[in-house]
């Protein structure tokens, strides 16, 4: 039987792998961020295409805008994918004493999990 608060379906004596959960959460947040960034950059491009700014300077800026948007979206997407891959290599359930079972509080100057 699962311990209280460990999630439905936890195997006996095991708890949720918080590291895996954090990685999956980060991947989802990054995916949402990627979509929001894409929408923002697409809106800027649409405004330029509709004539909001015209001329050589506008064309140069539009090109830089497109390159920047692509770079940001690629970086966010790659990071989300890395988080998802790292989560996939983690077990869903771990022993209560496993360092992945409980997230340690953040301390100044250290990574969140103390590593």
């Amino acid at each position: 039987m699962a311990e209280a608060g460990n999630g439905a379906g936890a195997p006996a004596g095991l708890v949720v792998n918080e590291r895996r959960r954090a990685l999956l959460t980060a991947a989802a947040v990054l995916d949402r961020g990627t979509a929001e960034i894409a929408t923002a950059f697409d809106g800027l491009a649409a405004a330029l295409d509709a004539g909001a700014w015209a001329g050589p300077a506008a064309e140069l800026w539009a090109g830089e805008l497109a390159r920047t948007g692509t770079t940001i979206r690629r970086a966010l997407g790659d990071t989300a994918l890395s988080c998802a891959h790292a989560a996939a290599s983690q077990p869903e359930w771990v022993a209560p004493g496993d360092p992945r079972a409980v997230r340690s509080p953040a301390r100044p100057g250290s990574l969140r999990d103390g590593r």
Side-chain angles (χ1 to χ4, degrees), residues 44-66:
L44 285 169
L48 288 173
D49 289 344
W53 185 21
E59 290 177 22
L60 288 173
W61 190 71
E64 184 60 31
L65 182 70

Side-chain angles (χ1 to χ4, degrees), residues 3-110:
E3 295 177 21
N6 293 342
L14 298 181
V15 296
V16 171
N17 179 344
E18 292 295 334
R19 182 175 301 152
R20 180 178 181 273
R21 181 185 292 183
L23 288 163
L24 291 173
T25 298
V29 169
L30 288 162
D31 284 339
R32 283 192 305 273
T34 302
E36 290 175 14
I37 291 290
T39 298
F41 275 86
D42 290 347
L44 285 169
L48 288 173
D49 289 344
W53 185 21
E59 290 177 22
L60 288 173
W61 190 71
E64 184 60 31
L65 182 70
R67 285 187 293 280
T68 300
T70 298
T71 299
I72 292 170
R73 288 189 303 266
R74 184 175 295 137
L76 291 172
D78 289 350
T79 304
L81 190 58
S82 293
C83 288
H85 282 260
S89 71
Q90 294 282 322
E92 185 174 354
W93 308 102
V94 294
D98 189 297
R100 299 169 292 184
V102 179
R103 294 187 61 147
S104 60
R107 294 175 300 188
S110 70

